[in-house]
Amino acid sequence: MRVFISLFLLISSTRLHPSWAQYHYQGLMNYLENRMQAMEERISVWQEQAVRYGVDLKEFRQQAADVMERLARDHDKLRQELDSAGGKVERMEREMDYIETKNPPPPCSKAEDKMVEQKPMGKMKKTGELRGCMDLVFSIKAMKILKRMGSPKGTWTRDAVTAKVYAFNGTADDTLYEFSSVRALSSSSDPRAITLPVFWNGTGHTVHNGQVYYVTEGSELRVMKYDLQNDSMADSAVFPVDDHSPVFSLNQETIVDLVADEEGLWALYGSKDKVSLARMDANTLDIEQMWDTSCPRENAESAFMVCGTLYVVYNSKPPSRSRIQCVFDVNDMVNAEEAPLLYFPRRYGTHSSIKYNPHEKQLYAWDDGYQILYKLSMKKKGVFVN
Ligand SMILES: *[C@@H]1O[C@H](CO)[C@@H](O)[C@H](O)[C@H]1NC(C)=O
Ligand SMILES: *[C@@H]1O[C@H](CO)[C@@H](O)[C@H](O)[C@H]1NC(C)=O
Ligand SMILES: *[C@@H]1O[C@H](CO)[C@@H](O)[C@H](O)[C@H]1NC(C)=O
């Protein structure tokens, strides 16, 4: 920059002092020539270095590529090994399911049985405390047939908080049975028979936090709440459905299905040809929010909720294999590809009810008179597993 300024001064002064200017011009030329020569030298040094760096960089790239390739090969091998191990475990589980189906466990099964034994949670969880849980059902890992209780249809479930087990035998009665544990039920020990002040209809009952929630069908449809701690009716409310048609076409006796999950109490009901969903306040029986889902009622036999996601179970008439074929997430966090089509282990009946226990992550199902447990495995919502 300085060079150009002096050049400008020089040119503007030539008119005034030609000889002085000529002298300075020569000096400037010498100066520029020297600078250029120095620059050329430096450029040639740079060039040399650049070539050397280029070679180095190429070598480095080659080495990095080699390392990456080796890593990728190892990763593939590891993955293949994992896949084949996973396949073996799955096959073994299927075989175990099959053997268990062929040989239902005798009443009074062995003492240590993780799937059956479950301690009470102890302290009560406030409604909403678990809101925002992220579990998505990934597979039905195992099945266990506990007992056959007589009526082809009915409901059994376990309170996730008190860990007591309840059975509703049939589709209309005023009595329910309380067992201290799943083992007490499977060994046919005498239950506590509880006679409710108002009868129940259908198979849509649930027990949540020491309260029975059930549906009574009179001229109107009522949701009842019965306190099991002091055996008294705690509350009731009219459930606002227009038509009293069954929520699942394969279970005609159930108009409203009450279900509990990590997030609290929900009601499933029919509107037009689809299953609809309402979030209920478990304390007051208020309806907080309602959703229409895209899940058809046709050929649906039952449904359950896990972490705010609805899973509708379908079958056919005559019964074939039950499968989860429609999923609806109230928070829009689950898309169709992420929720795989899941088949239940092969049986020859229809589920009249499927109740999820959030504490144990298993399903309590009533299938053609049998009381069955299904153990679920979970993955996280929004995380893809290839
Ligand atoms: C359940 O109901 C069926 C049909 O009404 C009856 O035969 C059976 O004895 C009942 N079982 C129990 C445990 O009450
Ligand atoms: C509901 O249950 C009551 C009592 O068992 C019964 O009399 C009534 O017929 C049932 N209603 C329906 C629609 O099944
Ligand atoms: C039963 O217990 C609940 C609290 O656990 C209480 O709110 C209710 O008033 C009790 N009902 C009767 C009739 O004692």
Side-chain angles (χ1 to χ4, degrees):
M1 194 63 173
R2 228 180 312 131
V3 174
F4 289 105
I5 294 169
S6 34
L7 191 63
F8 171 77
L9 286 175
L10 176 93
I11 289 163
S12 43
S13 60
T14 39
R15 285 184 221 116
L16 302 173
H17 308 284
S19 62
W20 179 84
Q22 220 161 18
Y23 168 78
H24 274 272
Y25 179 72
Q26 193 52 56
L28 186 67
M29 287 308 285
N30 291 346
Y31 167 76
L32 286 178
E33 215 164 301
N34 285 342
R35 290 276 332 241
M36 267 157 78
Q37 205 173 341
M39 251 189 310
E40 264 167 23
E41 272 165 26
R42 274 166 67 191
I43 286 170
S44 79
V45 170
W46 287 343
Q47 251 168 356
E48 215 174 287
Q49 282 177 346
V51 169
R52 223 172 38 235
Y53 288 152
V55 170
D56 285 356
L57 191 65
K58 223 182 196 159
E59 262 171 34
F60 174 71
R61 274 219 191 102
Q62 189 54 50
Q63 280 171 2
D66 287 351
V67 170
M68 296 294 279
E69 204 182 288
R70 238 184 0 257
L71 276 177
R73 261 204 312 275
D74 288 353
H75 184 248
D76 273 353
K77 218 171 93 203
L78 204 66
R79 202 187 173 111
Q80 269 164 17
E81 279 165 14
L82 273 177
D83 281 352
S84 85
K88 271 180 211 150
V89 168
E90 227 168 71
R91 214 161 40 240
M92 241 168 72
E93 268 175 349
R94 269 206 303 275
E95 276 160 21
M96 277 159 69
D97 281 353
Y98 177 74
I99 289 165
E100 228 169 7
T101 317
K102 290 280 163 201
N103 310 285
C108 203
S109 47
K110 51 189 196 305
E112 280 314 304
D113 194 337
K114 254 173 132 184
M115 197 156 157
V116 170
E117 205 40 72
Q118 186 71 58
K119 293 207 169 56
M121 267 161 89
K123 82 174 176 17
M124 291 201 333
K125 285 250 191 270
K126 271 192 273 136
T127 306
E129 193 175 305
L130 290 168
R131 264 179 205 184
C133 69
M134 295 291 286
D135 284 340
L136 181 73
V137 176
F138 180 59
S139 73
I140 297 161
K141 273 205 307 197
M143 171 180 79
K144 188 178 206 100
I145 303 169
L146 269 297
K147 194 182 164 70
R148 183 164 202 183
M149 212 187 251
S151 227
K153 289 194 175 185
T155 308
W156 80 302
T157 186
R158 177 174 221 174
D159 190 328
V161 180
T162 66
K164 286 188 179 137
V165 175
Y166 297 89
F168 299 72
N169 187 27
T171 58
D173 198 3
D174 62 355
T175 304
L176 77 145
Y177 300 98
E178 181 187 85
F179 299 86
S180 57
S181 65
V182 170
R183 191 160 299 116
L185 173 131
S186 63
S187 63
S188 305
S189 56
D190 274 347
R192 177 166 92 99
I194 300 163
T195 306
L196 297 167
V198 183
F199 55 83
W200 45 265
N201 294 98
T203 56
H205 341 286
T206 192
V207 183
H208 174 64
N209 215 348
Q211 312 287 320
V212 190
Y213 298 87
Y214 68 96
V215 173
T216 289
E217 252 184 275
S219 55
E220 58 195 6
L221 214 62
R222 293 194 80 83
V223 175
M224 319 296 283
K225 181 185 171 193
Y226 181 84
D227 193 321
L228 288 162
Q229 269 119 42
N230 51 19
D231 283 317
S232 64
M233 196 56 88
D235 209 347
S236 83
V238 172
F239 195 83
V241 281
D242 301 333
D243 70 316
H244 287 195
S245 62
V247 52
F248 312 119
S249 80
L250 297 181
N251 274 305
Q252 292 287 320
E253 299 86 354
T254 306
I255 311 299
V256 173
D257 189 18
L258 300 169
V259 302
D261 73 351
E262 291 83 350
E263 305 195 356
L265 183 66
W266 308 82
L268 307 173
Y269 59 98
S271 56
K272 301 210 181 72
D273 54 346
K274 299 288 198 296
V275 176
S276 285
L277 175 67
R279 193 205 293 275
M280 296 189 78
D281 184 318
N283 290 321
T284 62
L285 300 182
D286 293 347
I287 292 171
E288 295 179 332
Q289 204 174 338
M290 296 170 118
W291 294 263
D292 291 327
T293 77
S294 55
C295 300
R297 291 154 79 180
E298 190 62 34
N299 289 326
E301 61 176 16
S302 191
F304 58 94
M305 298 278 292
V306 177
C307 287
T309 303
L310 170 70
Y311 299 81
V312 183
V313 180
Y314 293 85
N315 205 324
S316 53
K317 215 172 186 177
S320 63
R321 261 182 106 173
S322 300
R323 57 203 170 263
I324 296 169
Q325 215 168 359
C326 189
V327 170
F328 175 82
D329 184 63
V330 298
N331 297 314
D332 266 340
M333 281 186 61
V334 179
N335 54 40
E337 308 88 77
E338 209 188 336
L341 172 70
L342 286 183
Y343 279 88
F344 282 76
R346 191 184 291 283
R347 302 260 315 141
Y348 299 96
T350 309
H351 295 108
S352 60
S353 67
I354 298 175
K355 296 289 160 182
Y356 170 64
N357 183 303
H359 186 49
E360 303 163 309
K361 310 230 177 284
Q362 54 189 19
L363 301 173
Y364 287 70
W366 192 296
D367 176 351
D368 202 22
Y370 288 95
Q371 288 69 56
I372 299 176
L373 285 177
Y374 295 110
K375 187 115 202 126
L376 301 175
S377 76
M378 305 290 189
K379 64 173 180 168
K380 293 292 171 216
K381 285 178 192 175
V383 179
F384 289 87
V385 177
N386 293 322

